[in-house]
Amino acid sequence: MQTTSIHFKANARRALADESLQRSLTRMRVGFQHKRAVAAAKLPEFETLRDQARDLKDHVLEHLDFYLEAFEAKVKEQGGQVHWARDAAEARQIILDICQAVNARTVTKGKSMISEEIGLNKHLQAHGLTPIETDLGEYIIQLRQEHPSHIIAPALHLHKEDVAETFHQHHAQYGLTRKLTQAPELLSEARQVLRSQFLAADVGITGANFCVVETGSTVIVTNEGNGDLTQTLPKVHIALTSIDKLAPTLDDVTLLLRVLVRSATGQETSVYTTFSSGPRRADDLDGPEQFHVVLLDNGRSTMLGTEFQDMLRCIRCGACMNHCPVYGAVGGHAYGWVYPGPMGAVLTPQMTGIDQAGHLPNASTFCGRCEAVCPVRIPLPKMMRHWREREFQRHLSPRSVRYGLRAWSFAVRRPALYQRLAGLGAWLLKRLARGRGRLSRLPLAGGWTAGRDLPAPSGHTFQQQWRRRGRGV
Amino acid sequence: MSAAREAILTTLRRQLKRGPLSDESRSRLQQRLAQPPRHTVPQRGLLPHSEQIGLFIRMAEQADASVQRLSTSAAIPAAIADYIQRHNLPSELVMAPDPSVSELPWAEQAHLRTRVGAAGDQDKVCVSPAFVGIAETGTLMLLSGAQTPTTLNFLPDAHIVVLPAERIVGPYEDAWQRLREQQVALPRTVNLITGPSRSADIEQTLQLGAHGPMQLHIIILDHPS
């Protein structure tokens, strides 16, 4: 996928002026935040489970080589195949090879962010295959040739009128020409159209929320049932996942599921949680004849042992973006790549380069809500700060920021000078305010005062006031 | 692609600043896999068995499943015929080959046409047995197998599941334990199912009946013969 993270500022300005998007985002903020809060309150052990989920993921990361090998052995033992991919290109090739080996024409797909990460659909299409997204949200945006704007609610930015328009345009070929207006009708039409696709597909590709080492299973967590039809009906099932998704045992995956679903949609559990282990057995009446697991690295291994290791705990619930004031204001597309919100602001620079994605870790007020709701307690603000440091070290920040910081650092290391300058500033700002107590315009800070007034200081710095008060005691 | 495998494992070990794990560490981790430690188990599911049944019913209904209790399995065909009539469903039924459902007195329901096997696109109503029910969240666990094909769980519009009351457990951990005790290896598919299929992808408004069943009916059997 083409990244436009470098244009984040322009993307964000456009998003803020997009009235339709703003209505969608308002709905999102109310819905997700409320549902998570209710679900968390209904489980008294929730905070304890979050601590344990964090510790479990840390344990897995410390022994990742062992668990990957053990998982691979278990999958093979049950007749499945495991493919390792260093990067997106390798993963795409592996999947294309599997599809071509069975002369596949159509491929149904369950929802997978890794598929977005490696740009799988475009690659399959370029080689004459037809990939069909079957998750309702993914299906809608595939028809519209858009990208997901949220990792668990891909069509979050759209309204039902948009969906109706899209279906009207694309479903005429199936003889469905009535223009629909209600969400239930739209869902029912999508069900009808996709049903025949499920039955006709040669290969089914799903993601995997988790890989269980104990049993060699991949796990998908869904509500629609599309993932299950995708992986049950075709003769080949490919589970596309990444090396950071391992859970050692069924008990461990249960812990992660308990925090994942509540953090994501606020459900007690998802409608379907499905464990797949190997291909259909000799006497099974249905199920795929081949089972493949593709394990993608794509830069994750190099995050281990660095200040970004904690990010590998992420279980992709989306709570960080649901609670982020920046995501809530500009939506997912502004971030310009696959992963938006706070988790995207940490992952995107890793995967596309800080020179491309430098704006993302800067687009944060460090309010800390993402870390406060993260089910595996990832210190997201701290990691965004690490990216800002790297950006500064590599001289990628704008000149004004670098010179400004250099001047500030010169002054702050000379307390006498700093106090004098601060005193001068406070005095000047008070004079400029002319007794109104606020400034509606300020040289060099037009960006700040364009949207609001700057409260004027009292005329004395904190240190001056402290000294005066000290004398008075 | 064994080059990729070696490269990834080498990078992981380099980043972790160590070589392959020592035999001692490996056997410690093997031990952990063989005897999975339990994390905190929510109190909610830790109840006497009789109360687990009540909790299961409450949670399943909260997830929009319907639940019915029957005393014996002989009463199942009549109950299903009644369900089909009440919901205005076609009187054709596909059922799992498992004897617990296929060998019931179906002949007594003369107007029901029944078939045994996997589900196809034309099937609208089906019956299959659950392996266990998990009270904590009102969740059914269904296993794939020659007697219990997976397509039954997803293709028909209405899915009816038979669950003996003695097979209801409190927390997930107990369900896994039962699975480990009764199965040498896992079947191809383990389905955890909580309510009928749904989607909130249009305007975040929940709609029941997405790609899987539009209704899920659970029959709890108090005295399976």
Side-chain angles (χ1 to χ4, degrees), chain B residues 12-49:
Chain B
L12 290 175
R13 287 173 188 140
R14 190 186 64 228
Q15 297 293 116
L16 289 165
K17 297 175 184 65
R18 61 166 171 75
L21 285 172
S22 65
D23 288 348
E24 193 194 328
S25 306
R26 292 177 68 86
S27 72
R28 196 164 38 81
L29 295 174
Q30 294 286 9
Q31 184 65 20
R32 192 186 183 283
L33 287 173
Q35 285 168 341
R38 279 196 177 192
H39 303 280
T40 294
V41 177
Q43 278 297 319
R44 181 203 289 175
L46 304 176
L47 300 164
H49 187 250

Side-chain angles (χ1 to χ4, degrees), chain B residues 8 56 82 124 131 140 153 158 161 194 215:
Chain B
I8 292 170
F56 176 88
D82 180 54
K124 300 297 173 206
F131 176 67
L140 297 164
N153 306 344
V161 179
T194 315
Q215 48 202 86

Side-chain angles (χ1 to χ4, degrees), chain A residues 27-28 31-32 35 42-43 45 48-49 52 56 59 61-70 72 78 84-86 90 94 134-138 140 152-156 158-161 163 183-184 186-187 190-191 194-195 198-199 213-215 217 223-226 228-229 231-233 237 243 248-255 258 262 267-281 283-286 288 291 295 297 301-306, chain B residues 1-9 11-21 25-44 59 62-63 97 116-121 123-124 136-139 144-158 171-174 176-177 179-180 184-214:
Chain A
R27 191 162 53 219
M28 184 276 310
F32 275 134
K35 286 176 197 157
K42 276 203 273 188
L43 191 70
E45 295 87 351
T48 308
L49 295 179
Q52 293 177 354
L56 170 67
H59 165 82
L61 292 172
E62 288 300 322
H63 306 99
L64 196 52
D65 52 337
F66 169 86
Y67 281 127
L68 282 166
E69 288 182 297
E72 179 190 42
Q78 293 170 109
W84 303 65
R86 273 169 288 200
E90 280 188 359
I94 290 165
T134 63
D135 169 83
L136 180 62
E138 292 279 349
I140 294 165
I152 68 159
L156 179 120
L158 298 173
H159 304 280
K160 63 173 186 278
E161 293 76 17
V163 181
L186 292 164
L187 176 62
R191 177 186 166 104
L194 284 170
R195 200 35 96 85
F198 282 124
L199 293 157
V213 179
E214 178 191 356
T215 56
S217 318
N223 281 320
E224 296 181 8
N226 66 303
D228 288 279
L229 290 171
Q231 65 167 52
T232 305
L233 297 172
H237 172 204
I243 57 169
T249 68
L250 294 168
D251 294 67
D252 293 329
V253 85
T254 300
L255 168 67
R258 283 191 180 114
R262 290 178 173 88
Q267 289 168 285
E268 291 280 338
T269 183
S270 57
V271 177
Y272 302 115
T273 306
T274 301
F275 294 67
S276 306
S277 321
R280 72 194 283 177
R281 308 298 188 247
D283 54 353
D284 279 353
L285 302 182
D286 51 24
F291 175 60
L295 289 172
D297 182 348
S301 59
T302 57
M303 295 166 76
L304 211 60
T306 72
Chain B
M1 285 284 170
S2 69
R5 180 183 192 276
E6 288 319 305
I8 292 170
L9 290 172
T11 308
L12 290 175
R13 287 173 188 140
R14 190 186 64 228
Q15 297 293 116
L16 289 165
K17 297 175 184 65
R18 61 166 171 75
L21 285 172
S25 306
R26 292 177 68 86
S27 72
R28 196 164 38 81
L29 295 174
Q30 294 286 9
Q31 184 65 20
R32 192 186 183 283
L33 287 173
Q35 285 168 341
R38 279 196 177 192
H39 303 280
T40 294
V41 177
Q43 278 297 319
R44 181 203 289 175
M59 296 306 290
Q62 241 175 59
V116 171
D121 188 34
D123 292 307
K124 300 297 173 206
E136 181 183 334
T137 51
T139 300
S144 67
Q147 311 282 306
T148 48
T150 304
T151 41
L152 290 173
N153 306 344
F154 295 99
L155 280 175
D157 292 351
Y172 281 77
E173 283 79 355
D174 290 356
W176 298 130
Q177 204 42 48
L179 187 62
R180 290 187 187 110
V184 187
L186 234 53
R188 149 71 195 171
T189 308
V190 176
N191 288 126
L192 301 178
I193 299 180
T194 315
S197 78
R198 67 201 62 196
S199 174
D201 272 345
I202 300 175
E203 295 193 347
Q204 294 216 289
T205 311
L206 189 68
Q207 318 277 344
L208 289 185
H211 296 293
M214 303 187 194

Side-chain angles (χ1 to χ4, degrees), chain A residues 104-327:
Chain A
R105 299 170 63 87
T106 63
V107 177
T108 40
K109 294 185 67 212
K111 184 167 162 30
S112 156
M113 289 310 291
I114 307 252
S115 163
E116 300 286 338
E117 184 183 321
I118 67 170
L120 182 60
N121 286 357
K122 212 172 135 193
H123 190 70
L124 293 178
Q125 271 164 329
H127 290 83
L129 285 111
T130 309
I132 300 152
E133 295 290 346
T134 63
D135 169 83
L136 180 62
E138 292 279 349
Y139 175 66
I140 294 165
I141 59 168
Q142 188 188 26
L143 293 180
R144 297 171 62 92
Q145 300 185 351
E146 294 179 1
H147 292 285
S149 64
H150 189 286
I151 62 170
I152 68 159
L156 179 120
H157 56 290
L158 298 173
H159 304 280
K160 63 173 186 278
E161 293 76 17
D162 304 319
V163 181
E165 186 58 46
T166 305
F167 282 8
H168 188 60
Q169 233 177 66
H170 289 88
H171 288 173
Q173 55 176 316
Y174 308 107
L176 302 165
T177 51
R178 196 163 69 89
K179 183 110 189 239
L180 307 174
T181 55
Q182 298 306 312
E185 305 172 321
L186 292 164
L187 176 62
S188 148
E189 191 169 287
R191 177 186 166 104
Q192 186 187 341
V193 168
L194 284 170
R195 200 35 96 85
S196 53
Q197 313 276 20
F198 282 124
L199 293 157
D202 305 298
V203 174
I205 301 177
T206 66
N209 293 80
F210 303 106
C211 298
V212 188
V213 179
E214 178 191 356
T215 56
S217 318
T218 58
V219 184
I220 56 169
V221 179
T222 71
N223 281 320
E224 296 181 8
N226 66 303
D228 288 279
L229 290 171
T230 297
Q231 65 167 52
T232 305
L233 297 172
K235 51 183 178 272
V236 178
H237 172 204
I238 304 172
L240 170 58
T241 188
S242 56
I243 57 169
D244 49 337
K245 299 273 170 81
L246 296 183
T249 68
L250 294 168
D251 294 67
D252 293 329
V253 85
T254 300
L255 168 67
L256 296 173
L257 285 166
R258 283 191 180 114
V259 294
L260 168 68
V261 187
R262 290 178 173 88
S263 302
T265 56
Q267 289 168 285
E268 291 280 338
T269 183
S270 57
V271 177
Y272 302 115
T273 306
T274 301
F275 294 67
S276 306
S277 321
R280 72 194 283 177
R281 308 298 188 247
D283 54 353
D284 279 353
L285 302 182
D286 51 24
E289 291 155 22
Q290 293 180 28
F291 175 60
H292 299 268
V293 182
V294 180
L295 289 172
L296 175 71
D297 182 348
N298 212 20
R300 288 165 174 82
S301 59
T302 57
M303 295 166 76
L304 211 60
T306 72
E307 65 263 56
F308 298 111
Q309 172 168 327
D310 291 345
M311 192 61 219
L312 295 172
R313 289 204 298 261
C314 179
I315 53 176
R316 306 290 192 266
C317 68
C320 61
M321 56 197 78
N322 295 343
H323 292 76
C324 175
V326 177
Y327 179 97

